[in-house]
Amino acid sequence: MSHSLLRTLFTGAAAAALIATATPAGAAGPAPQITAPPDKIVIELATVNGSGCREGTAEVAVAPDNTAFTVTYSDYLAQVGPGAPPTGFRKNCQLNLRVHVPSGFTYAIVQADYRGFAFLQPGAWGQEKANYYFQGMPQTTQRTHQFNGPLNDNWQATDRTEYADLVWAPCGEKRNFNINTELRVNAGTSNPQAATSFMTMDSTDASVSTLYHLAWQACPAPRPRSH
């Protein structure tokens, strides 16, 4: 049975973005609490690499209220079974994003929601892995979510970060934001010679995307120079 016949469309609106109330690490004194900067932010795809996001198959969009951004994939599929290529069991994607933030503000990722569809035979399993980081800074811990067959349904995985552990973009610096994701499917005790299992992070429905919730803070005012 084909991927297109087995996959179902996703529905539902994205979860409400969280409100930022913490002070960025290293800030001099308390920063004003805000939900998002008033001026619109712009996010551009600087580079795209990986078997799960060939050129032209990943798009980024910013929420109108600046509280989140989405990444939509159109060809992100890992599979095992008859006709699947030997390397098809694992797909990955590395996105390098150029984020234009209004002057005087900094941001962090407080939550990431990953979505897709899985068709897993009894005994098979699939995994979704992800992490993200700012250019020149340590990567976040890679988080893994496993889904076991039998499964023929939409899947969702959420990674949340406590405010005390948030990694904020350095104030006054331009650093690209990197996102690494991976899908993996294993036949397990199922028979890959006779039955297909697959897992996707793509959709023909634009309302279904990976959603990154943004926390915002005003950067501390520069210290006056002493004479």
Side-chain angles (χ1 to χ4, degrees):
M1 191 175 297
S2 69
H3 166 215
S4 61
L5 290 176
L6 289 168
R7 183 173 57 187
T8 60
L9 293 178
F10 309 97
T11 58
L18 302 179
I19 298 176
T21 57
T23 301
Q33 299 178 0
I34 60 172
T35 55
D39 297 329
K40 185 167 180 60
I41 65 173
V42 176
I43 300 180
E44 302 171 338
L45 276 172
T47 60
V48 180
N49 292 291
S51 55
C53 55
R54 294 176 298 103
E55 186 176 356
T57 65
E59 296 182 357
V60 179
V62 180
D65 59 2
N66 290 339
T67 59
F69 69 90
T70 60
V71 179
T72 304
Y73 305 95
S74 60
D75 189 22
Y76 204 152
L77 164 71
Q79 62 180 327
V80 295
T87 58
F89 73 96
R90 176 187 176 272
K91 293 294 178 70
N92 75 301
C93 181
Q94 299 175 338
L95 301 179
N96 182 269
L97 306 180
R98 189 177 296 115
V99 183
H100 302 275
V101 177
S103 178
F105 295 94
T106 182
Y107 70 96
I109 304 298
V110 71
Q111 179 173 317
D113 299 325
Y114 302 93
R115 298 181 176 86
F117 183 81
F119 182 82
L120 302 173
Q121 299 290 341
W125 52 265
Q127 284 184 343
E128 176 270 331
K129 298 180 181 180
N131 69 350
Y132 40 83
Y133 60 97
F134 293 105
Q135 181 180 6
M137 299 176 67
Q139 296 190 19
T140 57
T141 301
Q142 182 170 264
R143 301 182 183 179
T144 302
H145 301 272
Q146 182 159 320
F147 302 87
N148 298 317
L151 180 62
N152 182 14
D153 203 354
N154 301 336
W155 62 267
Q156 178 171 335
T158 296
D159 296 336
R160 297 184 181 88
T161 302
E162 298 296 330
Y163 274 103
D165 298 323
L166 288 178
V167 178
W168 297 86
C171 285
E173 298 183 24
K174 292 186 180 297
R175 297 203 185 189
N176 287 5
F177 185 68
N178 296 276
I179 298 173
N180 298 324
T181 56
E182 177 185 304
L183 289 181
R184 185 183 295 261
V185 175
N186 190 295
T189 59
S190 69
N191 182 2
Q193 305 302 319
T196 296
S197 292
F198 69 82
M199 190 170 176
T200 77
M201 200 167 4
D202 67 355
S203 177
T204 56
D205 184 347
S207 68
V208 180
S209 308
T210 300
L211 179 66
Y212 295 89
H213 303 263
L214 297 171
W216 289 97
Q217 284 291 333
C219 289
R223 294 180 182 274
R225 294 183 177 180
S226 57
H227 298 284

